Amino acid sequence: MNLSTWKDFLAILESNTRVSQTFETLLSSLTFVERGGSPLSTLMISSTQPHEGKSTISALLALTMALAGRRVLLIDADARRPKLHEIFEVSYKHGFTDILDAGSSLTLGDVVQKVPIPRDRTAIDIIPSGTLLPIHSNPLASPRLESLVKAASEQYENVLFDSPPALSVSDPCFLAPFVKGVLFVVGSGTVQERDAKLAKARIEKAGGHLVGFVMNRFDATRYGPGYHPYEGYYDPTKE
Ligand SMILES: Nc1ncnc2c1ncn2[C@@H]1O[C@H](COP(=O)(O)OP(=O)(O)OP(=O)(O)O)[C@@H](O)[C@H]1O
Ligand SMILES: [Mg+2]
């Protein structure tokens, strides 16, 4: 399965019911987990370590939301290994790090790039990572972060932030207190339970509210045929 651009992701959502149903279920679950009666309008996607699938899950979830008719903004808050500009085939220049800059007067609208989804006559709005910064800088420590998250939540139904891994860098801890929820991606078979617990604790200590986990690359066949006893139950093509 080659997942490189949003067109591949869209093709998978349209052709593979297992994938599309998984993401629709995730979207429903997130809709049910509402805090204090208010929707989960801002959501950070993080994980313990690199390559667990944060950017992939962020892009697929954002597309699922857009296809469901929601007004979605997807922000690349991973200034260290930005990926969303590649997936959505937009320029990474003029993005999140540029509006976070303390001296900047740019607004969200100045750095948003619209990616139309032709068949559905909808679009997904992307803010790429922005100007690359020196390795030790931390753009998310910006005093502008809180007001930018608030402004985004006022303009969009759903704002998703793809972020770096919580055990590798402190960036997600700066964003965690300002978003309504944190979705934690767990790379199946790749992350140690102890490390995942440590990463979760870090995010919670920073004021983040974990609303769920996504097990990525989970291979149900390894756990035997009885692992999903209800799979296929609602599929009339399966006996
Ligand atoms: N469920 C999956 N099936 C197949 N390939 C996947 C899956 N999830 C992720 N990948 C692939 O694994 C690689 C890493 O995924 P991705 O970039 O989403 O991880 P990440 O957690 O965002 O990484 P980083 O920590 O570097 O930001 C990518 O090449 C992606 O296409
Ligand atoms: Mg990534």
Side-chain angles (χ1 to χ4, degrees), residues 1-4 9 47 49-57 78 81 83 87 162-165 185 216-218:
M1 184 157 59
N2 182 22
L3 299 168
S4 39
F9 287 42
S47 76
Q49 61 192 32
H51 303 308
E52 289 189 81
K54 297 173 290 298
S55 303
T56 303
I57 302 296
D78 186 347
R81 289 190 187 180
K83 183 84 172 273
I87 293 175
D162 180 17
S163 74
V185 177
N216 193 26
R217 296 174 183 272
F218 180 71

Side-chain angles (χ1 to χ4, degrees), residues 58-223:
S58 302
L60 280 162
L61 181 59
L63 280 169
T64 304
M65 287 171 162
L67 293 175
R70 297 193 186 202
R71 194 162 148 64
V72 186
L73 175 64
L74 176 58
I75 297 179
D76 199 334
D78 186 347
R80 299 171 196 277
R81 289 190 187 180
K83 183 84 172 273
L84 295 181
H85 65 284
E86 282 175 22
I87 293 175
F88 286 92
E89 300 175 305
V90 296
S91 163
Y92 68 84
K93 292 173 187 166
H94 307 300
F96 202 41
T97 58
D98 301 291
I99 46 174
L100 284 171
D101 188 278
S104 169
S105 56
L106 293 172
T107 64
L108 292 167
D110 294 322
V111 290
V112 164
Q113 298 188 49
K114 209 169 263 305
V115 178
I117 303 174
R119 284 191 290 286
D120 290 270
R121 294 200 195 120
T122 182
I124 186 160
D125 283 4
I126 307 290
I127 294 186
S129 58
T131 305
L132 294 176
L133 300 171
I135 187 84
H136 294 301
S137 59
N138 185 352
L140 293 177
S142 164
R144 298 194 82 205
L145 181 63
E146 184 173 7
S147 61
L148 285 168
V149 175
K150 188 166 179 289
S153 71
E154 286 164 359
Q155 293 169 36
Y156 291 85
E157 218 172 334
N158 289 101
V159 185
L160 301 182
F161 295 87
D162 180 17
S163 74
L167 268 202
S168 306
V169 287
S170 59
D171 307 32
C173 294
F174 286 95
L175 183 55
F178 301 132
V179 289
K180 289 264 171 69
V182 178
L183 186 65
F184 206 74
V185 177
V186 179
S188 179
T190 63
V191 63
Q192 298 286 323
E193 185 182 337
R194 184 198 54 188
D195 291 344
K197 283 182 175 164
L198 196 56
K200 174 179 174 286
R202 265 197 192 181
I203 288 174
E204 287 176 334
K205 197 171 172 200
H209 176 70
L210 262 91
V211 292
F213 296 84
V214 171
M215 186 75 92
N216 193 26
R217 296 174 183 272
F218 180 71
D219 180 5
T221 57
R222 282 183 58 192
Y223 296 85

